[in-house]
Amino acid sequence: MAYGFIEVSGVCAAVDALDIMCKTSNVHLVTWERKMGGRLVTLVIEGEVSAVAQSVETAANNCIKKPVAKAVIANPHPEIVKIAKISAARMEKKNAQQKPRAKAAPKAQA
């Protein structure tokens, strides 16, 4: 198991990088962090070492913005896994707290 990290400027570039990584190899998103109001976005993916390495490199070379940083950690230390799980739990909690938006009533046609 390995973790891959890529940090890019902007949410749009992060979504692009994530799309590239997930389409390149068998990896999945663990969590993401937005810093400085979303100016910097860090994505954390997980998978086999070779898949993660290939995904991170492909995204770094093809993303709409050049990454600020990237890393692959093979066999991460338990403290790294703990940090990723804390971040993922925080992301899950935010998603659970968000209420679905009410749909506007359809307009009556005359």
Side-chain angles (χ1 to χ4, degrees):
M1 194 259 295
Y3 280 152
F5 300 82
I6 192 163
E7 187 170 69
V8 295
S9 178
V11 174
C12 183
V15 170
D16 182 50
L18 180 61
D19 183 62
I20 292 167
M21 288 190 289
C22 289
K23 288 178 178 176
T24 298
S25 299
N26 186 22
V27 297
H28 68 272
L29 177 68
V30 174
T31 189
W32 68 305
E33 293 283 337
R34 291 183 301 161
K35 300 297 178 195
M36 297 184 207
R39 194 179 99 213
L40 291 179
V41 180
T42 303
L43 300 166
V44 183
I45 60 166
E46 182 180 47
E48 295 296 321
V49 177
S50 59
V52 169
Q54 183 180 18
S55 291
V56 168
E57 282 304 313
T58 302
N61 292 328
N62 296 300
C63 186
I64 58 175
K65 286 191 174 182
K66 184 178 177 179
V68 175
K70 63 181 180 171
V72 174
I73 300 176
N75 193 23
H77 187 277
E79 289 299 317
I80 302 299
V81 175
K82 183 178 165 183
I83 289 170
K85 285 182 179 180
I86 290 169
S87 176
R90 190 170 47 241
M91 182 177 71
E92 294 269 333
K93 185 177 178 181
K94 279 184 183 178
N95 289 340
Q97 288 176 346
Q98 291 178 346
K99 294 179 181 178
R101 294 182 182 173
K103 293 183 180 180
K107 293 182 180 180
Q109 295 190 7

